[in-house]
Amino acid sequence: MDKVVLAFSGGLDTTVCVRLLEENYNLDVITACVDVGQPREEIEKAENVAKKIGVFKHCSIDAKEEFANDFISKGIKVNAVYEGYPLSTALARPLIAMKIIETAEKEDAAAIAHGCTGKGNDQFRFESIIRSMSNFKIIAPIRELNLTRTEEQDYARKHNIPLSPDSKFSIDENIWGRSIEGDVIEDPKNEVPQEAYDWVRSDMEANDNPEKINIEFNSGVPIAINGEKMDLIDLIAKTNEIAGNNGIGKIDIIEDRMVGLKSREVYEVPGATLLIKAHRGLEELVFTKNELRFIDYISPLYSDLVYNALWQEPLREDLDRCVDHMQRRVTGSIVLNLYKGHISILSRESKFSLHDIKQISFEDKENDQREIEGMIKHHGMQAAIYQKQKH
Ligand code: ARG
């Protein structure tokens, strides 16, 4: 029998896919779970579900460091946020697809499968990578059979497929964030039930006292928290914990999906919220006004590429080069205050700061104030001529 490698999380969609691929497509299923920093239990859940359901072979692939160093770092450098969402799921998809391709090559598989529905963005993200980097046939059972979530649940029950109790919501987790969709959340008229949240405390339960945090950056990438140097992956985990405990990073938005649908999306992104705020705060100190305008102009362009499954676009690579060059001066540290869902900047410093304390000070006499008179006289000259012509 031919083999297929299935991108596998052990959630409802991908678990149902195992049986569908065996029964409807006549394939031996190799399940591959890519570790992009989701909680350890999720990796174990995938292993256990694969074992219980009896797959041909299961593999866990550790891609945590790569995800942090080659994908999230790019997102931080360009402050990547799409309609309020720091792209946690979107940034991980290309890497997951790349790892699945590698596995399929190693296992000499005939095809690659994913559990995406036909309504979301992830099908585009997986398939654009698979098509641009390989010639594997792609199978998307849930989409091809037009299954609803309830139909999937019924199918699972009939086929004795183990279901986890959290299968009510569709959840995608990695180190950069937790995406929550489905069930009552689908309707924007409904409030998000407290049980949907896991990473971020409610304001009521958040720490009672404000917490100061010092984040140090080197060339646009965070390298230390409160003076303690750590790898990016550990640093992100730490900020998730600290910001989450302070109620920071709950996002509840109406998002414009690629297929044109509006959807209500809920995210828990404590670390991402904190780190992007800190990074942008440091940029204010070291960038010229023009550089700031430029970074704010390209940030949404870059985010659109990531969101819209265009990681492989040449423009994405071009922007990365440009951003990297700009980021060489985004080095320094920033102190933020975290308190019940709010972040404020307390102080910032950098050896590349363009702020000149001597010149700006009210106490400075060396720079003669009178010298500015000439500049003022000529400022707005064209506007003044225009206004006089009107009368
Ligand atoms: N809307 C987000 C995106 O397109 C998250 C999708 C998350 N998927 C999920 N199964 N909950 O990137």
Side-chain angles (χ1 to χ4, degrees), residues 13 85 87-90 93 120-122 125 170-172 179-181 255 257 263 265 267 307:
D13 296 321
Y85 153 52
L87 296 162
S88 41
T89 294
R93 294 314 193 193
N121 305 311
D122 288 332
R125 297 176 186 143
S170 169
I171 291 168
D172 178 63
S179 309
I180 314 150
E181 296 176 321
E255 184 174 299
R257 282 198 191 160
S263 89
E265 300 279 332
Y267 302 101
Y307 188 84

PDB file of all heavy atoms in Angstrom, residues 13 85 87-90 93 120-122 125 170-172 179-181 255 257 263 265 267 307, ligand 1:
ATOM      1  N   ASP A  13      -9.916  17.160  13.876  1.00  0.00           N
ATOM      2  CA  ASP A  13      -9.759  17.118  12.412  1.00  0.00           C
ATOM      3  C   ASP A  13      -8.736  16.077  11.981  1.00  0.00           C
ATOM      4  O   ASP A  13      -9.012  15.218  11.150  1.00  0.00           O
ATOM      5  CB  ASP A  13      -9.304  18.489  11.865  1.00  0.00           C
ATOM      6  CG  ASP A  13     -10.342  19.581  12.081  1.00  0.00           C
ATOM      7  OD1 ASP A  13     -11.539  19.292  11.922  1.00  0.00           O
ATOM      8  OD2 ASP A  13      -9.944  20.716  12.382  1.00  0.00           O
ATOM      9  N   TYR A  85      -3.738  40.610  15.281  1.00  0.00           N
ATOM     10  CA  TYR A  85      -3.323  39.223  15.577  1.00  0.00           C
ATOM     11  C   TYR A  85      -1.843  39.035  15.205  1.00  0.00           C
ATOM     12  O   TYR A  85      -1.470  39.258  14.058  1.00  0.00           O
ATOM     13  CB  TYR A  85      -4.253  38.303  14.776  1.00  0.00           C
ATOM     14  CG  TYR A  85      -3.760  36.943  14.358  1.00  0.00           C
ATOM     15  CD1 TYR A  85      -3.202  36.056  15.271  1.00  0.00           C
ATOM     16  CD2 TYR A  85      -3.906  36.518  13.033  1.00  0.00           C
ATOM     17  CE1 TYR A  85      -2.790  34.785  14.849  1.00  0.00           C
ATOM     18  CE2 TYR A  85      -3.511  35.260  12.608  1.00  0.00           C
ATOM     19  CZ  TYR A  85      -2.946  34.404  13.517  1.00  0.00           C
ATOM     20  OH  TYR A  85      -2.547  33.159  13.112  1.00  0.00           O
ATOM     21  N   LEU A  87      -0.061  36.745  14.405  1.00  0.00           N
ATOM     22  CA  LEU A  87       0.263  35.734  13.394  1.00  0.00           C
ATOM     23  C   LEU A  87       0.888  34.457  13.946  1.00  0.00           C
ATOM     24  O   LEU A  87       1.693  33.815  13.266  1.00  0.00           O
ATOM     25  CB  LEU A  87       1.187  36.369  12.330  1.00  0.00           C
ATOM     26  CG  LEU A  87       0.541  37.512  11.543  1.00  0.00           C
ATOM     27  CD1 LEU A  87       1.606  38.363  10.850  1.00  0.00           C
ATOM     28  CD2 LEU A  87      -0.451  36.987  10.515  1.00  0.00           C
ATOM     29  N   SER A  88       0.507  34.083  15.173  1.00  0.00           N
ATOM     30  CA  SER A  88       1.128  32.908  15.780  1.00  0.00           C
ATOM     31  C   SER A  88       0.923  31.638  14.950  1.00  0.00           C
ATOM     32  O   SER A  88       1.883  30.933  14.640  1.00  0.00           O
ATOM     33  CB  SER A  88       0.602  32.724  17.199  1.00  0.00           C
ATOM     34  OG  SER A  88      -0.782  32.969  17.248  1.00  0.00           O
ATOM     35  N   THR A  89      -0.311  31.372  14.570  1.00  0.00           N
ATOM     36  CA  THR A  89      -0.563  30.187  13.747  1.00  0.00           C
ATOM     37  C   THR A  89       0.064  30.369  12.365  1.00  0.00           C
ATOM     38  O   THR A  89       0.738  29.472  11.846  1.00  0.00           O
ATOM     39  CB  THR A  89      -2.092  29.954  13.602  1.00  0.00           C
ATOM     40  OG1 THR A  89      -2.625  29.630  14.889  1.00  0.00           O
ATOM     41  CG2 THR A  89      -2.398  28.840  12.629  1.00  0.00           C
ATOM     42  N   ALA A  90      -0.140  31.542  11.795  1.00  0.00           N
ATOM     43  CA  ALA A  90       0.288  31.790  10.410  1.00  0.00           C
ATOM     44  C   ALA A  90       1.794  31.644  10.225  1.00  0.00           C
ATOM     45  O   ALA A  90       2.261  31.134   9.200  1.00  0.00           O
ATOM     46  CB  ALA A  90      -0.163  33.183   9.979  1.00  0.00           C
ATOM     47  N   ARG A  93       2.934  27.764  10.163  1.00  0.00           N
ATOM     48  CA  ARG A  93       2.496  26.850   9.101  1.00  0.00           C
ATOM     49  C   ARG A  93       3.566  26.550   8.057  1.00  0.00           C
ATOM     50  O   ARG A  93       3.728  25.383   7.672  1.00  0.00           O
ATOM     51  CB  ARG A  93       1.219  27.370   8.418  1.00  0.00           C
ATOM     52  CG  ARG A  93      -0.023  27.401   9.313  1.00  0.00           C
ATOM     53  CD  ARG A  93      -0.210  26.151  10.100  1.00  0.00           C
ATOM     54  NE  ARG A  93      -1.524  26.037  10.707  1.00  0.00           N
ATOM     55  CZ  ARG A  93      -1.835  25.154  11.645  1.00  0.00           C
ATOM     56  NH1 ARG A  93      -0.918  24.316  12.090  1.00  0.00           N
ATOM     57  NH2 ARG A  93      -3.043  25.104  12.144  1.00  0.00           N
ATOM     58  N   GLY A 120     -10.793  27.932   5.910  1.00  0.00           N
ATOM     59  CA  GLY A 120      -9.771  28.711   6.598  1.00  0.00           C
ATOM     60  C   GLY A 120      -8.572  29.064   5.753  1.00  0.00           C
ATOM     61  O   GLY A 120      -8.525  28.831   4.528  1.00  0.00           O
ATOM     62  N   ASN A 121      -7.582  29.611   6.426  1.00  0.00           N
ATOM     63  CA  ASN A 121      -6.352  30.069   5.772  1.00  0.00           C
ATOM     64  C   ASN A 121      -5.277  28.990   5.736  1.00  0.00           C
ATOM     65  O   ASN A 121      -4.398  29.018   4.886  1.00  0.00           O
ATOM     66  CB  ASN A 121      -5.775  31.254   6.548  1.00  0.00           C
ATOM     67  CG  ASN A 121      -6.785  32.365   6.707  1.00  0.00           C
ATOM     68  OD1 ASN A 121      -7.422  32.771   5.730  1.00  0.00           O
ATOM     69  ND2 ASN A 121      -6.952  32.865   7.927  1.00  0.00           N
ATOM     70  N   ASP A 122      -5.334  28.061   6.687  1.00  0.00           N
ATOM     71  CA  ASP A 122      -4.232  27.122   6.840  1.00  0.00           C
ATOM     72  C   ASP A 122      -4.048  26.215   5.626  1.00  0.00           C
ATOM     73  O   ASP A 122      -2.929  25.846   5.289  1.00  0.00           O
ATOM     74  CB  ASP A 122      -4.412  26.299   8.123  1.00  0.00           C
ATOM     75  CG  ASP A 122      -4.166  27.144   9.365  1.00  0.00           C
ATOM     76  OD1 ASP A 122      -3.388  28.107   9.262  1.00  0.00           O
ATOM     77  OD2 ASP A 122      -4.754  26.850  10.425  1.00  0.00           O
ATOM     78  N   ARG A 125      -1.793  27.981   3.378  1.00  0.00           N
ATOM     79  CA  ARG A 125      -0.425  28.064   3.900  1.00  0.00           C
ATOM     80  C   ARG A 125       0.319  26.744   3.715  1.00  0.00           C
ATOM     81  O   ARG A 125       1.467  26.729   3.286  1.00  0.00           O
ATOM     82  CB  ARG A 125      -0.463  28.464   5.376  1.00  0.00           C
ATOM     83  CG  ARG A 125      -1.068  29.845   5.560  1.00  0.00           C
ATOM     84  CD  ARG A 125      -1.204  30.198   7.030  1.00  0.00           C
ATOM     85  NE  ARG A 125      -1.918  31.448   7.193  1.00  0.00           N
ATOM     86  CZ  ARG A 125      -2.773  31.698   8.177  1.00  0.00           C
ATOM     87  NH1 ARG A 125      -3.020  30.770   9.098  1.00  0.00           N
ATOM     88  NH2 ARG A 125      -3.372  32.867   8.250  1.00  0.00           N
ATOM     89  N   SER A 170     -11.868  24.635  18.351  1.00  0.00           N
ATOM     90  CA  SER A 170     -10.732  24.266  17.507  1.00  0.00           C
ATOM     91  C   SER A 170      -9.556  25.110  17.975  1.00  0.00           C
ATOM     92  O   SER A 170      -9.586  26.341  17.879  1.00  0.00           O
ATOM     93  CB  SER A 170     -11.071  24.559  16.047  1.00  0.00           C
ATOM     94  OG  SER A 170      -9.907  24.455  15.276  1.00  0.00           O
ATOM     95  N   ILE A 171      -8.546  24.431  18.515  1.00  0.00           N
ATOM     96  CA  ILE A 171      -7.444  25.172  19.135  1.00  0.00           C
ATOM     97  C   ILE A 171      -6.136  24.873  18.428  1.00  0.00           C
ATOM     98  O   ILE A 171      -5.849  23.717  18.107  1.00  0.00           O
ATOM     99  CB  ILE A 171      -7.354  24.802  20.633  1.00  0.00           C
ATOM    100  CG1 ILE A 171      -8.583  25.362  21.354  1.00  0.00           C
ATOM    101  CG2 ILE A 171      -6.068  25.337  21.262  1.00  0.00           C
ATOM    102  CD1 ILE A 171      -8.777  24.854  22.745  1.00  0.00           C
ATOM    103  N   ASP A 172      -5.378  25.904  18.169  1.00  0.00           N
ATOM    104  CA  ASP A 172      -4.033  25.694  17.630  1.00  0.00           C
ATOM    105  C   ASP A 172      -3.037  26.421  18.520  1.00  0.00           C
ATOM    106  O   ASP A 172      -3.166  27.626  18.748  1.00  0.00           O
ATOM    107  CB  ASP A 172      -3.940  26.230  16.195  1.00  0.00           C
ATOM    108  CG  ASP A 172      -2.531  26.055  15.648  1.00  0.00           C
ATOM    109  OD1 ASP A 172      -2.097  24.906  15.518  1.00  0.00           O
ATOM    110  OD2 ASP A 172      -1.854  27.070  15.393  1.00  0.00           O
ATOM    111  N   SER A 179      -4.554  29.948  19.390  1.00  0.00           N
ATOM    112  CA  SER A 179      -5.710  30.391  18.600  1.00  0.00           C
ATOM    113  C   SER A 179      -6.908  29.547  18.991  1.00  0.00           C
ATOM    114  O   SER A 179      -6.799  28.326  19.060  1.00  0.00           O
ATOM    115  CB  SER A 179      -5.476  30.191  17.102  1.00  0.00           C
ATOM    116  OG  SER A 179      -4.260  30.745  16.693  1.00  0.00           O
ATOM    117  N   ILE A 180      -8.046  30.200  19.217  1.00  0.00           N
ATOM    118  CA  ILE A 180      -9.247  29.487  19.646  1.00  0.00           C
ATOM    119  C   ILE A 180     -10.390  29.845  18.702  1.00  0.00           C
ATOM    120  O   ILE A 180     -10.697  31.025  18.508  1.00  0.00           O
ATOM    121  CB  ILE A 180      -9.647  29.895  21.091  1.00  0.00           C
ATOM    122  CG1 ILE A 180      -8.417  29.903  21.995  1.00  0.00           C
ATOM    123  CG2 ILE A 180     -10.729  28.977  21.638  1.00  0.00           C
ATOM    124  CD1 ILE A 180      -8.477  30.895  23.118  1.00  0.00           C
ATOM    125  N   GLU A 181     -10.999  28.823  18.126  1.00  0.00           N
ATOM    126  CA  GLU A 181     -12.115  29.049  17.206  1.00  0.00           C
ATOM    127  C   GLU A 181     -13.224  28.051  17.506  1.00  0.00           C
ATOM    128  O   GLU A 181     -13.017  27.064  18.182  1.00  0.00           O
ATOM    129  CB  GLU A 181     -11.679  28.802  15.753  1.00  0.00           C
ATOM    130  CG  GLU A 181     -10.622  29.735  15.225  1.00  0.00           C
ATOM    131  CD  GLU A 181     -10.192  29.349  13.811  1.00  0.00           C
ATOM    132  OE1 GLU A 181     -10.084  28.154  13.517  1.00  0.00           O
ATOM    133  OE2 GLU A 181      -9.961  30.273  13.018  1.00  0.00           O
ATOM    134  N   GLU A 255     -11.923  39.042  12.069  1.00  0.00           N
ATOM    135  CA  GLU A 255     -10.778  38.922  11.167  1.00  0.00           C
ATOM    136  C   GLU A 255     -11.238  38.672   9.736  1.00  0.00           C
ATOM    137  O   GLU A 255     -12.207  37.964   9.512  1.00  0.00           O
ATOM    138  CB  GLU A 255      -9.952  37.736  11.688  1.00  0.00           C
ATOM    139  CG  GLU A 255      -8.670  37.449  10.986  1.00  0.00           C
ATOM    140  CD  GLU A 255      -7.912  36.339  11.739  1.00  0.00           C
ATOM    141  OE1 GLU A 255      -7.554  36.528  12.919  1.00  0.00           O
ATOM    142  OE2 GLU A 255      -7.709  35.269  11.137  1.00  0.00           O
ATOM    143  N   ARG A 257     -10.664  36.778   6.628  1.00  0.00           N
ATOM    144  CA  ARG A 257      -9.957  35.591   6.142  1.00  0.00           C
ATOM    145  C   ARG A 257      -9.661  35.708   4.657  1.00  0.00           C
ATOM    146  O   ARG A 257     -10.316  36.450   3.938  1.00  0.00           O
ATOM    147  CB  ARG A 257     -10.830  34.346   6.350  1.00  0.00           C
ATOM    148  CG  ARG A 257     -10.823  33.863   7.758  1.00  0.00           C
ATOM    149  CD  ARG A 257     -11.321  32.427   7.793  1.00  0.00           C
ATOM    150  NE  ARG A 257     -11.571  32.023   9.176  1.00  0.00           N
ATOM    151  CZ  ARG A 257     -12.346  31.009   9.517  1.00  0.00           C
ATOM    152  NH1 ARG A 257     -12.965  30.303   8.591  1.00  0.00           N
ATOM    153  NH2 ARG A 257     -12.505  30.696  10.781  1.00  0.00           N
ATOM    154  N   SER A 263     -14.482  36.436  10.193  1.00  0.00           N
ATOM    155  CA  SER A 263     -14.643  35.450  11.255  1.00  0.00           C
ATOM    156  C   SER A 263     -14.230  36.042  12.591  1.00  0.00           C
ATOM    157  O   SER A 263     -13.353  36.893  12.677  1.00  0.00           O
ATOM    158  CB  SER A 263     -13.855  34.184  10.937  1.00  0.00           C
ATOM    159  OG  SER A 263     -12.561  34.262  11.430  1.00  0.00           O
ATOM    160  N   GLU A 265     -12.342  35.771  15.833  1.00  0.00           N
ATOM    161  CA  GLU A 265     -11.167  34.999  16.228  1.00  0.00           C
ATOM    162  C   GLU A 265     -10.693  35.429  17.614  1.00  0.00           C
ATOM    163  O   GLU A 265     -10.689  36.613  17.939  1.00  0.00           O
ATOM    164  CB  GLU A 265     -10.022  35.214  15.240  1.00  0.00           C
ATOM    165  CG  GLU A 265     -10.348  34.802  13.815  1.00  0.00           C
ATOM    166  CD  GLU A 265     -10.217  33.301  13.555  1.00  0.00           C
ATOM    167  OE1 GLU A 265      -9.418  32.642  14.241  1.00  0.00           O
ATOM    168  OE2 GLU A 265     -10.919  32.810  12.655  1.00  0.00           O
ATOM    169  N   TYR A 267      -7.563  34.976  20.442  1.00  0.00           N
ATOM    170  CA  TYR A 267      -6.169  34.570  20.610  1.00  0.00           C
ATOM    171  C   TYR A 267      -5.678  34.871  22.019  1.00  0.00           C
ATOM    172  O   TYR A 267      -6.108  35.849  22.633  1.00  0.00           O
ATOM    173  CB  TYR A 267      -5.255  35.330  19.642  1.00  0.00           C
ATOM    174  CG  TYR A 267      -5.613  35.141  18.196  1.00  0.00           C
ATOM    175  CD1 TYR A 267      -6.325  36.114  17.497  1.00  0.00           C
ATOM    176  CD2 TYR A 267      -5.270  33.976  17.521  1.00  0.00           C
ATOM    177  CE1 TYR A 267      -6.672  35.935  16.168  1.00  0.00           C
ATOM    178  CE2 TYR A 267      -5.600  33.784  16.199  1.00  0.00           C
ATOM    179  CZ  TYR A 267      -6.310  34.768  15.522  1.00  0.00           C
ATOM    180  OH  TYR A 267      -6.653  34.576  14.214  1.00  0.00           O
ATOM    181  N   TYR A 307       0.096  36.268   6.547  1.00  0.00           N
ATOM    182  CA  TYR A 307      -1.287  35.824   6.746  1.00  0.00           C
ATOM    183  C   TYR A 307      -1.819  35.137   5.490  1.00  0.00           C
ATOM    184  O   TYR A 307      -2.472  34.098   5.559  1.00  0.00           O
ATOM    185  CB  TYR A 307      -2.175  37.023   7.108  1.00  0.00           C
ATOM    186  CG  TYR A 307      -3.578  36.621   7.506  1.00  0.00           C
ATOM    187  CD1 TYR A 307      -3.863  36.235   8.808  1.00  0.00           C
ATOM    188  CD2 TYR A 307      -4.611  36.607   6.568  1.00  0.00           C
ATOM    189  CE1 TYR A 307      -5.138  35.840   9.179  1.00  0.00           C
ATOM    190  CE2 TYR A 307      -5.888  36.206   6.923  1.00  0.00           C
ATOM    191  CZ  TYR A 307      -6.150  35.832   8.230  1.00  0.00           C
ATOM    192  OH  TYR A 307      -7.412  35.435   8.588  1.00  0.00           O
TER     193      TYR A 307
HETATM  194  N1  ARG B   1      -7.347  32.627  12.140  1.00  0.00           N
HETATM  195  C1  ARG B   1      -6.012  32.252  12.426  1.00  0.00           C
HETATM  196  C2  ARG B   1      -5.173  32.192  11.189  1.00  0.00           C
HETATM  197  O1  ARG B   1      -5.692  32.132  10.128  1.00  0.00           O
HETATM  198  C3  ARG B   1      -5.888  31.031  13.268  1.00  0.00           C
HETATM  199  C4  ARG B   1      -6.307  29.724  12.695  1.00  0.00           C
HETATM  200  C5  ARG B   1      -6.187  28.738  13.791  1.00  0.00           C
HETATM  201  N2  ARG B   1      -6.618  27.437  13.521  1.00  0.00           N
HETATM  202  C6  ARG B   1      -7.343  26.705  14.388  1.00  0.00           C
HETATM  203  N3  ARG B   1      -7.541  25.482  14.125  1.00  0.00           N
HETATM  204  N4  ARG B   1      -7.849  27.217  15.471  1.00  0.00           N
HETATM  205  O2  ARG B   1      -3.978  32.235  11.241  1.00  0.00           O
END
